[in-house]
Amino acid sequence: MSTRRATIADVAREAGVSPSTASVVFSGKTPVSDATRRRVLDAASALGYTGPDPRAASLRRGRSGIVGVVFEEHLGTAFLDPVKTLMMDGLADGVAPIGAGLLLLRDHEPVEALDSGSPARAVPTLTTAPLDAAVLIGCSGHLRESLETVIARGIPVVVIEGDAGDGVPRIDLDNREATRQAASHLRTLGHTEVAVVTLPARGGWERGWILDDTAITIDVTRDRLAGALDVFPEARAFAAAGSFIDEGLAAGRVILADPVHRPTAVIAQSDLLAAGVIRAVEEAGLRVPEDVSVTGFDGIVVDGLAPYELTTLVQPATDKGRAAGQAVATMLEGADAASIRFTCAFREGNTTASPPDRD
Amino acid sequence: MSTRRATIADVAREAGVSPSTASVVFSGKTPVSDATRRRVLDAASALGYTGPDPRAASLRRGRSGIVGVVFEEHLGTAFLDPVKTLMMDGLADGVAPIGAGLLLLRDHEPVEALDSGSPARAVPTLTTAPLDAAVLIGCSGHLRESLETVIARGIPVVVIEGDAGDGVPRIDLDNREATRQAASHLRTLGHTEVAVVTLPARGGWERGWILDDTAITIDVTRDRLAGALDVFPEARAFAAAGSFIDEGLAAGRVILADPVHRPTAVIAQSDLLAAGVIRAVEEAGLRVPEDVSVTGFDGIVVDGLAPYELTTLVQPATDKGRAAGQAVATMLEGADAASIRFTCAFREGNTTASPPDRD
DNA sequence: TTGTACGCGTTATCAG
DNA sequence: CTGATAACGCGTACAA
């Protein structure tokens, strides 16, 4: 049949009922007699009608059943991070009760060249996607911009790990306090020479030392660093370009390079970074934790790190995601959602010990 | 302002132009004089109008700009698999030119209990999401069902690694041929006692031996196994419950348990499984590759596997995703998309060697 | 270049 | 339990 798809009106006509009755059969919003239902269903299958067009339904209802999840990175990259992965998991759980799907979005679309001869076309994003709500996974300066876009559209929004301002529910961690715990642990062990390997200082950051005048626009980085400095005000900090083992390795090499300033402990802002630092320590012919103690952050399973068991802060990543999902669900039902700050659990592994005796 | 949001009609009225003119200003489909444009834009910002409602626009256009990606697993789990992660990456790339967003969907919604007192509500899925197209990441029997749903809706669909039948474009690998290569490599080295650690045999599979009468409904598993059996018809196969290091470890333990039947080589159907098998070998007090050779599949970076470098088949995971995305784009433009079979590259690492001398 | 008219496919609402 | 009516907010022929 080269004709257009059947609509609910066609089905109704075929079944000899009114469109509204047919609609009700599919939505189940109102009781329908069995006989009528059967007629409608039969007519539908006869016409190859598979149910209401979601586009029309969402226009009418004012709901699309879609929650946008905004990343600032290349989508693929986002899932390379175990913590984000777990968050997505929780998020999926959290929105399940309202039956929403998760739409992956990037906050600043890459400047795509004109491909395949097709004329320049607007790349849909936050502005043009049919979202019921949005979850911003926050960090960089783009967050601010995305936030405005979403708020302007009047869409409920939740921010994970970022400064939302206003009345925007925020899901985050006690980053500063948590790091302070790790640092205190190190001080208790007797460390005084400590270095910090941080997450990026801001979007597009290349790895390098954080100096007094370095602006840190990423909240997580700033807060965790503050926690470390609370205990070791003199600690030097080197910011990696991302949360990867290789970045930790690179940072570790730099930090350990100068024998004079060599720290006896390194506070890494993520487990992956910590794993890299451990490699750097080994590479330098030193031992963990005998010569250098290392702490991480996240409490993820770093595959293949054995025999080390990282001393780290275990963050409830899945819970964070779930909380965000629930907050979204709450807002979608018209209620106000509260911000939630989760707490990390300090977990002592075998990567921290007292510093070696000095001569 | 407790009143409803402004519509394009309001903007037009405020600007003193017709609705269609205002529409054109936002869509850019037709030239508009600068003066008019300015008036419209000013009116829009005065009214807090942020652009056309995506729901209405998509009804009118017949396009939502959304491509569904259907997983059969818990969403979070999907991203724990590096290969899927890379595929998503490529997919995001592939659909970028048409500016589509990716909507994460599960094929069989978990049986959610009634939460939060809200009445039982239909959980939207494949049937109710406003999709322009769908990508099925295939395996289990659910695929069949999902496929029918999508086809009934008349939505373009592409299947990755699964049997699509009909005229559905399929993106997959030369799984059988690739595995055959690895197996041949082992035979050339002199191995005769070989075991296979496979991916799950079907959805919901618990780990266990694959017997003659075991039905394997997952294509990837079946094809890769066939490739191994082409070379070693007598090889025994143990199916893991998923592609994880731990599963490989568990499988390895079972396979190595019986000293009489102990193989000199293990063909694992994924790198993660292979990594687990290697651990099992070490755990048994044996060496890789001196006592037991191990091959993998995927060519991903298995974090922390050093000093081993897996002998494996490198699959172009990102390319697969990108191809799927492009196929979707093609179909959306009304053309037919072809199925594509990608080729894996054999990469020899240091986990395979000649078998030990037998007494 | 701008305006008119209409319909995209549904579903709330309310009366019967 | 069923039906008539009226939007939902927009894009696009077509005419002016």
Side-chain angles (χ1 to χ4, degrees):
Chain A
M1 38 182 86
S2 60
T3 144
R4 77 182 202 299
R5 298 193 66 69
T7 74
I8 203 171
D10 300 327
V11 173
R13 194 177 320 118
E14 173 86 8
V17 301
S18 79
S20 41
T21 301
S23 172
V24 161
V25 167
F26 288 102
S27 74
K29 291 278 191 184
T30 301
V32 180
S33 77
D34 280 355
T36 308
R37 186 203 320 290
R38 157 137 259 96
R39 293 236 306 288
V40 172
L41 260 22
D42 286 350
S45 67
L47 265 44
Y49 179 80
T50 56
D53 178 329
R55 284 178 281 261
S58 77
L59 170 58
R60 184 59 245 229
R61 291 210 236 249
R63 284 284 168 83
S64 63
I66 294 180
V67 173
V69 185
V70 183
F71 294 90
E72 63 170 337
E73 330 157 69
H74 198 195
L75 256 29
T77 314
F79 292 107
L80 261 22
D81 180 347
V83 175
K84 294 223 175 82
T85 284
L86 291 174
M87 270 184 18
M88 286 300 294
D89 193 14
L91 196 51
D93 259 24
V95 299
I98 58 170
L102 298 178
L103 182 67
L104 270 30
L105 256 19
R106 256 186 289 191
D107 62 358
H108 62 294
E109 285 301 325
V111 184
E112 295 286 349
L114 336 160
D115 321 51
S116 64
S118 56
R121 49 164 88 254
V123 174
T125 54
L126 227 32
T127 25
T128 64
L131 306 180
D132 287 345
V135 176
L136 303 190
I137 300 193
C139 301
S140 79
H142 290 294
L143 181 127
R144 209 73 222 171
E145 196 180 326
S146 306
L147 200 56
E148 277 165 21
T149 306
V150 178
I151 289 179
R153 277 184 64 182
I155 295 177
V157 56
V158 173
V159 172
I160 298 182
E161 294 292 349
D163 182 11
D166 320 52
V168 177
R170 182 202 302 203
I171 309 293
D172 61 9
L173 296 175
D174 60 335
N175 285 303
R176 182 170 187 163
E177 167 57 24
T179 307
R180 202 184 291 144
Q181 264 183 71
S184 299
H185 167 71
L186 290 174
R187 191 174 50 188
T188 302
L189 289 173
H191 292 272
T192 55
E193 298 295 314
V194 173
V196 183
V197 174
T198 78
L199 294 165
R202 51 174 174 268
W205 171 262
E206 300 292 332
R207 76 178 73 108
W209 290 103
I210 291 188
L211 308 176
D212 287 343
D213 63 346
T214 306
I216 304 180
T217 63
I218 298 183
D219 294 10
V220 178
T221 306
R222 182 168 6 87
D223 295 346
R224 293 187 190 170
L225 179 55
L229 296 180
D230 284 344
V231 178
F232 299 105
E234 302 302 324
R236 298 200 302 162
F238 186 94
S243 183
F244 306 106
I245 294 183
D246 285 346
E247 280 296 322
L249 176 57
R253 283 176 180 151
V254 174
I255 285 178
L256 298 172
D258 180 357
V260 179
H261 287 299
R262 178 185 297 153
T264 60
V266 176
I267 296 174
Q269 288 191 344
S270 84
D271 287 352
L272 292 179
L273 287 173
V277 170
I278 289 175
R279 288 220 186 136
V281 172
E282 291 176 332
E283 201 180 81
L286 301 171
R287 292 158 305 160
V288 174
E290 291 82 355
D291 299 311
V292 180
S293 289
V294 178
T295 69
F297 201 114
D298 287 341
I300 61 170
V301 177
V302 181
D303 223 0
L305 190 61
Y308 296 112
E309 222 171 282
L310 224 37
T311 293
T312 191
L313 283 320
V314 184
Q315 72 154 294
T318 308
D319 292 340
K320 262 169 50 181
R322 188 177 301 117
Q326 287 167 345
V328 160
T330 303
M331 297 176 81
L332 246 21
E333 287 176 348
D336 283 333
S339 292
I340 301 182
R341 168 152 294 184
F342 283 94
T343 300
C344 299
F346 178 74
R347 183 172 73 195
E348 183 169 0
N350 59 15
T351 60
T352 46
S354 292
D357 294 335
R358 293 285 182 178
D359 298 325
Chain B
M1 36 183 88
S2 61
T3 144
R4 77 181 201 301
R5 299 193 65 69
T7 74
I8 203 171
D10 300 328
V11 173
R13 193 177 321 117
E14 173 86 9
V17 302
S18 82
S20 57
T21 302
S23 172
V24 160
V25 167
F26 287 102
S27 75
K29 290 277 191 186
T30 301
V32 181
S33 75
D34 281 354
T36 309
R37 185 203 319 290
R38 157 137 257 95
R39 293 237 306 289
V40 172
L41 260 22
D42 286 349
S45 68
L47 264 44
Y49 179 80
T50 55
D53 179 328
R55 285 178 280 261
S58 77
L59 170 59
R60 188 60 245 234
R61 290 204 165 105
R63 283 284 168 83
S64 63
I66 294 179
V67 173
V69 184
V70 183
F71 294 90
E72 63 171 336
E73 330 156 69
H74 199 194
L75 255 28
T77 314
F79 293 108
L80 261 21
D81 180 346
V83 175
K84 295 223 175 80
T85 283
L86 292 174
M87 268 183 19
M88 286 299 295
D89 193 15
L91 197 50
D93 258 24
V95 299
I98 58 170
L102 298 178
L103 183 67
L104 269 31
L105 257 19
R106 258 187 286 191
D107 62 358
H108 62 296
E109 285 303 323
V111 184
E112 294 287 348
L114 337 160
D115 321 51
S116 62
S118 55
R121 49 164 86 255
V123 175
T125 53
L126 227 32
T127 25
T128 64
L131 306 181
D132 287 345
V135 175
L136 304 189
I137 301 194
C139 301
S140 80
H142 290 295
L143 180 126
R144 209 74 222 170
E145 197 179 324
S146 306
L147 199 56
E148 277 165 22
T149 306
V150 179
I151 289 178
R153 277 183 63 182
I155 295 176
V157 55
V158 173
V159 171
I160 298 181
E161 294 292 347
D163 182 11
D166 319 52
V168 177
R170 183 202 303 203
I171 310 292
D172 60 9
L173 296 175
D174 60 337
N175 285 302
R176 182 169 186 164
E177 168 57 23
T179 307
R180 202 185 289 143
Q181 265 182 71
S184 299
H185 165 71
L186 291 173
R187 191 175 52 188
T188 302
L189 289 173
H191 292 271
T192 55
E193 298 295 315
V194 173
V196 183
V197 174
T198 79
L199 294 165
R202 51 174 175 268
W205 171 263
E206 300 293 331
R207 75 178 75 107
W209 290 103
I210 291 188
L211 309 175
D212 287 344
D213 63 346
T214 305
I216 304 180
T217 63
I218 298 183
D219 294 11
V220 177
T221 307
R222 182 168 7 86
D223 295 346
R224 292 187 190 170
L225 179 55
L229 296 180
D230 284 344
V231 178
F232 298 106
E234 303 302 324
R236 298 201 301 163
F238 186 94
S243 183
F244 306 105
I245 293 183
D246 286 345
E247 280 295 321
L249 176 57
R253 283 175 180 153
V254 174
I255 285 178
L256 298 172
D258 180 357
V260 180
H261 287 298
R262 179 185 296 154
T264 61
V266 176
I267 295 174
Q269 288 191 346
S270 83
D271 287 351
L272 292 178
L273 288 173
V277 170
I278 289 175
R279 288 219 187 137
V281 171
E282 290 176 334
E283 201 180 81
L286 301 171
R287 293 158 305 160
V288 174
E290 292 81 356
D291 299 311
V292 181
S293 289
V294 179
T295 69
F297 201 114
D298 288 340
I300 62 170
V301 178
V302 181
D303 223 359
L305 190 61
Y308 296 112
E309 221 172 281
L310 223 37
T311 293
T312 191
L313 283 321
V314 184
Q315 72 154 293
T318 308
D319 291 341
K320 262 168 51 181
R322 187 175 302 117
Q326 287 167 345
V328 160
T330 303
M331 298 175 81
L332 247 21
E333 288 175 348
D336 284 333
S339 293
I340 301 183
R341 167 152 295 183
F342 283 94
T343 300
C344 299
F346 178 74
R347 183 172 71 196
E348 183 169 359
N350 58 15
T351 60
T352 47
S354 292
D357 293 335
R358 292 286 183 176
D359 299 327

